[in-house]
Amino acid sequence: MGALYEMVKEAQATGKYETQVITTFEPKIKKSLYMTRAENRDDLEQELKIKIIHYVREYSMDRIPGLFDLE
């Protein structure tokens, strides 16, 4: 998990690791796409990758709760 956190943090600063974040989630994306029709898979895959990039760029790393914030 620490590696993903660092990749997102670096992607927000420089945009360098955005493709690696997508690559990290690609097995889950591919597995989830099997629940959709074959003719929709390519378009849906592109949309999911766009959403991941959007969330990487827009997510505030300051909003992550700490252990004692979860009480």
Side-chain angles (χ1 to χ4, degrees):
M1 186 66 173
L4 181 60
Y5 176 81
E6 293 299 322
M7 280 193 290
V8 170
K9 195 172 177 182
E10 187 68 26
Q12 286 180 346
T14 64
K16 183 178 178 182
Y17 289 103
E18 286 179 350
T19 56
Q20 285 185 328
V21 173
I22 291 173
T23 304
T24 302
F25 284 103
E26 198 152 1
K28 177 61 179 167
I29 291 171
K30 295 283 187 188
K31 186 175 181 181
S32 298
L33 287 173
Y34 284 111
M35 293 187 274
T36 63
R37 293 183 179 176
E39 61 268 8
N40 296 334
R41 288 182 186 158
D42 290 336
D43 293 335
L44 185 56
E45 182 178 2
Q46 287 179 353
E47 289 297 321
L48 289 171
K49 288 179 180 180
I50 290 169
K51 284 290 186 185
I52 289 172
I53 291 172
H54 171 75
Y55 286 123
V56 164
R57 289 179 180 171
E58 300 296 321
Y59 189 73
S60 173
M61 300 301 274
D62 298 329
R63 293 187 320 185
I64 299 173
L67 178 62
F68 298 107
D69 296 332
L70 298 175
E71 295 180 327

PDB file of all heavy atoms in Angstrom, residues 30-46:
ATOM      1  N   LYS A  30      -9.479  -5.388 -15.806  1.00  0.00           N
ATOM      2  CA  LYS A  30      -9.726  -6.474 -16.768  1.00  0.00           C
ATOM      3  C   LYS A  30     -10.701  -7.500 -16.198  1.00  0.00           C
ATOM      4  O   LYS A  30     -11.606  -7.962 -16.886  1.00  0.00           O
ATOM      5  CB  LYS A  30      -8.417  -7.165 -17.148  1.00  0.00           C
ATOM      6  CG  LYS A  30      -7.445  -6.295 -17.883  1.00  0.00           C
ATOM      7  CD  LYS A  30      -7.845  -6.119 -19.310  1.00  0.00           C
ATOM      8  CE  LYS A  30      -6.731  -5.374 -20.043  1.00  0.00           C
ATOM      9  NZ  LYS A  30      -7.111  -5.009 -21.377  1.00  0.00           N
ATOM     10  N   LYS A  31     -10.517  -7.851 -14.933  1.00  0.00           N
ATOM     11  CA  LYS A  31     -11.399  -8.832 -14.300  1.00  0.00           C
ATOM     12  C   LYS A  31     -12.825  -8.297 -14.200  1.00  0.00           C
ATOM     13  O   LYS A  31     -13.791  -9.026 -14.446  1.00  0.00           O
ATOM     14  CB  LYS A  31     -10.867  -9.189 -12.920  1.00  0.00           C
ATOM     15  CG  LYS A  31     -11.623 -10.297 -12.247  1.00  0.00           C
ATOM     16  CD  LYS A  31     -10.986 -10.684 -10.936  1.00  0.00           C
ATOM     17  CE  LYS A  31     -11.756 -11.817 -10.291  1.00  0.00           C
ATOM     18  NZ  LYS A  31     -11.171 -12.197  -9.005  1.00  0.00           N
ATOM     19  N   SER A  32     -12.965  -7.043 -13.862  1.00  0.00           N
ATOM     20  CA  SER A  32     -14.293  -6.440 -13.727  1.00  0.00           C
ATOM     21  C   SER A  32     -14.999  -6.298 -15.074  1.00  0.00           C
ATOM     22  O   SER A  32     -16.226  -6.339 -15.138  1.00  0.00           O
ATOM     23  CB  SER A  32     -14.195  -5.073 -13.065  1.00  0.00           C
ATOM     24  OG  SER A  32     -13.677  -5.194 -11.758  1.00  0.00           O
ATOM     25  N   LEU A  33     -14.239  -6.137 -16.137  1.00  0.00           N
ATOM     26  CA  LEU A  33     -14.838  -5.959 -17.455  1.00  0.00           C
ATOM     27  C   LEU A  33     -15.537  -7.221 -17.955  1.00  0.00           C
ATOM     28  O   LEU A  33     -16.401  -7.143 -18.823  1.00  0.00           O
ATOM     29  CB  LEU A  33     -13.784  -5.515 -18.464  1.00  0.00           C
ATOM     30  CG  LEU A  33     -13.305  -4.082 -18.316  1.00  0.00           C
ATOM     31  CD1 LEU A  33     -12.148  -3.816 -19.265  1.00  0.00           C
ATOM     32  CD2 LEU A  33     -14.425  -3.092 -18.551  1.00  0.00           C
ATOM     33  N   TYR A  34     -15.195  -8.369 -17.417  1.00  0.00           N
ATOM     34  CA  TYR A  34     -15.859  -9.603 -17.834  1.00  0.00           C
ATOM     35  C   TYR A  34     -17.314  -9.659 -17.394  1.00  0.00           C
ATOM     36  O   TYR A  34     -18.059 -10.506 -17.850  1.00  0.00           O
ATOM     37  CB  TYR A  34     -15.094 -10.825 -17.330  1.00  0.00           C
ATOM     38  CG  TYR A  34     -13.853 -11.089 -18.144  1.00  0.00           C
ATOM     39  CD1 TYR A  34     -12.599 -10.901 -17.603  1.00  0.00           C
ATOM     40  CD2 TYR A  34     -13.953 -11.497 -19.466  1.00  0.00           C
ATOM     41  CE1 TYR A  34     -11.455 -11.122 -18.356  1.00  0.00           C
ATOM     42  CE2 TYR A  34     -12.821 -11.712 -20.231  1.00  0.00           C
ATOM     43  CZ  TYR A  34     -11.581 -11.529 -19.668  1.00  0.00           C
ATOM     44  OH  TYR A  34     -10.461 -11.744 -20.424  1.00  0.00           O
ATOM     45  N   MET A  35     -17.727  -8.749 -16.525  1.00  0.00           N
ATOM     46  CA  MET A  35     -19.122  -8.689 -16.097  1.00  0.00           C
ATOM     47  C   MET A  35     -19.968  -7.840 -17.041  1.00  0.00           C
ATOM     48  O   MET A  35     -21.153  -7.666 -16.818  1.00  0.00           O
ATOM     49  CB  MET A  35     -19.217  -8.144 -14.667  1.00  0.00           C
ATOM     50  CG  MET A  35     -18.633  -9.076 -13.635  1.00  0.00           C
ATOM     51  SD  MET A  35     -18.915  -8.524 -11.954  1.00  0.00           S
ATOM     52  CE  MET A  35     -17.523  -7.421 -11.739  1.00  0.00           C
ATOM     53  N   THR A  36     -19.351  -7.285 -18.090  1.00  0.00           N
ATOM     54  CA  THR A  36     -20.077  -6.448 -19.047  1.00  0.00           C
ATOM     55  C   THR A  36     -20.118  -7.134 -20.411  1.00  0.00           C
ATOM     56  O   THR A  36     -19.423  -8.119 -20.647  1.00  0.00           O
ATOM     57  CB  THR A  36     -19.399  -5.072 -19.194  1.00  0.00           C
ATOM     58  OG1 THR A  36     -18.092  -5.254 -19.729  1.00  0.00           O
ATOM     59  CG2 THR A  36     -19.325  -4.357 -17.863  1.00  0.00           C
ATOM     60  N   ARG A  37     -20.905  -6.597 -21.291  1.00  0.00           N
ATOM     61  CA  ARG A  37     -20.990  -7.136 -22.655  1.00  0.00           C
ATOM     62  C   ARG A  37     -19.677  -6.889 -23.391  1.00  0.00           C
ATOM     63  O   ARG A  37     -19.018  -5.873 -23.188  1.00  0.00           O
ATOM     64  CB  ARG A  37     -22.122  -6.475 -23.411  1.00  0.00           C
ATOM     65  CG  ARG A  37     -23.468  -6.823 -22.860  1.00  0.00           C
ATOM     66  CD  ARG A  37     -24.529  -6.193 -23.695  1.00  0.00           C
ATOM     67  NE  ARG A  37     -25.842  -6.548 -23.172  1.00  0.00           N
ATOM     68  CZ  ARG A  37     -26.950  -6.082 -23.640  1.00  0.00           C
ATOM     69  NH1 ARG A  37     -26.943  -5.222 -24.642  1.00  0.00           N
ATOM     70  NH2 ARG A  37     -28.095  -6.448 -23.123  1.00  0.00           N
ATOM     71  N   ALA A  38     -19.340  -7.814 -24.264  1.00  0.00           N
ATOM     72  CA  ALA A  38     -18.065  -7.736 -24.989  1.00  0.00           C
ATOM     73  C   ALA A  38     -17.956  -6.464 -25.834  1.00  0.00           C
ATOM     74  O   ALA A  38     -16.874  -5.885 -25.943  1.00  0.00           O
ATOM     75  CB  ALA A  38     -17.896  -8.973 -25.868  1.00  0.00           C
ATOM     76  N   GLU A  39     -19.058  -6.031 -26.406  1.00  0.00           N
ATOM     77  CA  GLU A  39     -18.993  -4.839 -27.267  1.00  0.00           C
ATOM     78  C   GLU A  39     -18.791  -3.539 -26.480  1.00  0.00           C
ATOM     79  O   GLU A  39     -18.431  -2.513 -27.053  1.00  0.00           O
ATOM     80  CB  GLU A  39     -20.245  -4.723 -28.152  1.00  0.00           C
ATOM     81  CG  GLU A  39     -21.540  -4.584 -27.408  1.00  0.00           C
ATOM     82  CD  GLU A  39     -22.246  -5.905 -27.132  1.00  0.00           C
ATOM     83  OE1 GLU A  39     -21.681  -6.968 -27.376  1.00  0.00           O
ATOM     84  OE2 GLU A  39     -23.385  -5.843 -26.664  1.00  0.00           O
ATOM     85  N   ASN A  40     -19.002  -3.570 -25.172  1.00  0.00           N
ATOM     86  CA  ASN A  40     -18.833  -2.372 -24.348  1.00  0.00           C
ATOM     87  C   ASN A  40     -17.500  -2.329 -23.614  1.00  0.00           C
ATOM     88  O   ASN A  40     -17.160  -1.317 -23.014  1.00  0.00           O
ATOM     89  CB  ASN A  40     -19.958  -2.280 -23.320  1.00  0.00           C
ATOM     90  CG  ASN A  40     -21.304  -2.114 -23.956  1.00  0.00           C
ATOM     91  OD1 ASN A  40     -21.417  -1.598 -25.063  1.00  0.00           O
ATOM     92  ND2 ASN A  40     -22.342  -2.569 -23.273  1.00  0.00           N
ATOM     93  N   ARG A  41     -16.746  -3.397 -23.650  1.00  0.00           N
ATOM     94  CA  ARG A  41     -15.542  -3.509 -22.806  1.00  0.00           C
ATOM     95  C   ARG A  41     -14.466  -2.487 -23.143  1.00  0.00           C
ATOM     96  O   ARG A  41     -13.884  -1.891 -22.231  1.00  0.00           O
ATOM     97  CB  ARG A  41     -14.972  -4.923 -22.895  1.00  0.00           C
ATOM     98  CG  ARG A  41     -15.835  -5.909 -22.170  1.00  0.00           C
ATOM     99  CD  ARG A  41     -15.262  -7.295 -22.213  1.00  0.00           C
ATOM    100  NE  ARG A  41     -16.233  -8.220 -21.618  1.00  0.00           N
ATOM    101  CZ  ARG A  41     -16.261  -9.492 -21.857  1.00  0.00           C
ATOM    102  NH1 ARG A  41     -15.380 -10.037 -22.668  1.00  0.00           N
ATOM    103  NH2 ARG A  41     -17.169 -10.253 -21.288  1.00  0.00           N
ATOM    104  N   ASP A  42     -14.187  -2.262 -24.406  1.00  0.00           N
ATOM    105  CA  ASP A  42     -13.118  -1.325 -24.773  1.00  0.00           C
ATOM    106  C   ASP A  42     -13.442   0.096 -24.315  1.00  0.00           C
ATOM    107  O   ASP A  42     -12.589   0.788 -23.744  1.00  0.00           O
ATOM    108  CB  ASP A  42     -12.870  -1.340 -26.276  1.00  0.00           C
ATOM    109  CG  ASP A  42     -12.226  -2.635 -26.746  1.00  0.00           C
ATOM    110  OD1 ASP A  42     -11.574  -3.310 -25.928  1.00  0.00           O
ATOM    111  OD2 ASP A  42     -12.383  -2.965 -27.936  1.00  0.00           O
ATOM    112  N   ASP A  43     -14.671   0.520 -24.573  1.00  0.00           N
ATOM    113  CA  ASP A  43     -15.074   1.870 -24.168  1.00  0.00           C
ATOM    114  C   ASP A  43     -15.069   2.011 -22.650  1.00  0.00           C
ATOM    115  O   ASP A  43     -14.614   3.021 -22.113  1.00  0.00           O
ATOM    116  CB  ASP A  43     -16.463   2.199 -24.713  1.00  0.00           C
ATOM    117  CG  ASP A  43     -16.477   2.314 -26.226  1.00  0.00           C
ATOM    118  OD1 ASP A  43     -15.408   2.619 -26.799  1.00  0.00           O
ATOM    119  OD2 ASP A  43     -17.546   2.094 -26.818  1.00  0.00           O
ATOM    120  N   LEU A  44     -15.571   1.007 -21.967  1.00  0.00           N
ATOM    121  CA  LEU A  44     -15.618   1.053 -20.512  1.00  0.00           C
ATOM    122  C   LEU A  44     -14.212   1.046 -19.916  1.00  0.00           C
ATOM    123  O   LEU A  44     -13.941   1.762 -18.946  1.00  0.00           O
ATOM    124  CB  LEU A  44     -16.434  -0.114 -19.969  1.00  0.00           C
ATOM    125  CG  LEU A  44     -16.674  -0.137 -18.469  1.00  0.00           C
ATOM    126  CD1 LEU A  44     -17.345   1.149 -18.002  1.00  0.00           C
ATOM    127  CD2 LEU A  44     -17.524  -1.345 -18.092  1.00  0.00           C
ATOM    128  N   GLU A  45     -13.320   0.288 -20.506  1.00  0.00           N
ATOM    129  CA  GLU A  45     -11.933   0.266 -20.025  1.00  0.00           C
ATOM    130  C   GLU A  45     -11.297   1.650 -20.137  1.00  0.00           C
ATOM    131  O   GLU A  45     -10.633   2.120 -19.212  1.00  0.00           O
ATOM    132  CB  GLU A  45     -11.119  -0.756 -20.822  1.00  0.00           C
ATOM    133  CG  GLU A  45      -9.690  -0.872 -20.352  1.00  0.00           C
ATOM    134  CD  GLU A  45      -8.900  -1.927 -21.104  1.00  0.00           C
ATOM    135  OE1 GLU A  45      -9.454  -2.560 -22.026  1.00  0.00           O
ATOM    136  OE2 GLU A  45      -7.722  -2.117 -20.765  1.00  0.00           O
ATOM    137  N   GLN A  46     -11.520   2.325 -21.263  1.00  0.00           N
ATOM    138  CA  GLN A  46     -10.994   3.679 -21.430  1.00  0.00           C
ATOM    139  C   GLN A  46     -11.575   4.633 -20.402  1.00  0.00           C
ATOM    140  O   GLN A  46     -10.852   5.449 -19.823  1.00  0.00           O
ATOM    141  CB  GLN A  46     -11.291   4.198 -22.828  1.00  0.00           C
ATOM    142  CG  GLN A  46     -10.467   3.568 -23.902  1.00  0.00           C
ATOM    143  CD  GLN A  46     -10.823   4.110 -25.282  1.00  0.00           C
ATOM    144  OE1 GLN A  46     -11.774   4.864 -25.442  1.00  0.00           O
ATOM    145  NE2 GLN A  46     -10.040   3.721 -26.267  1.00  0.00           N
TER     146      GLN A  46
END
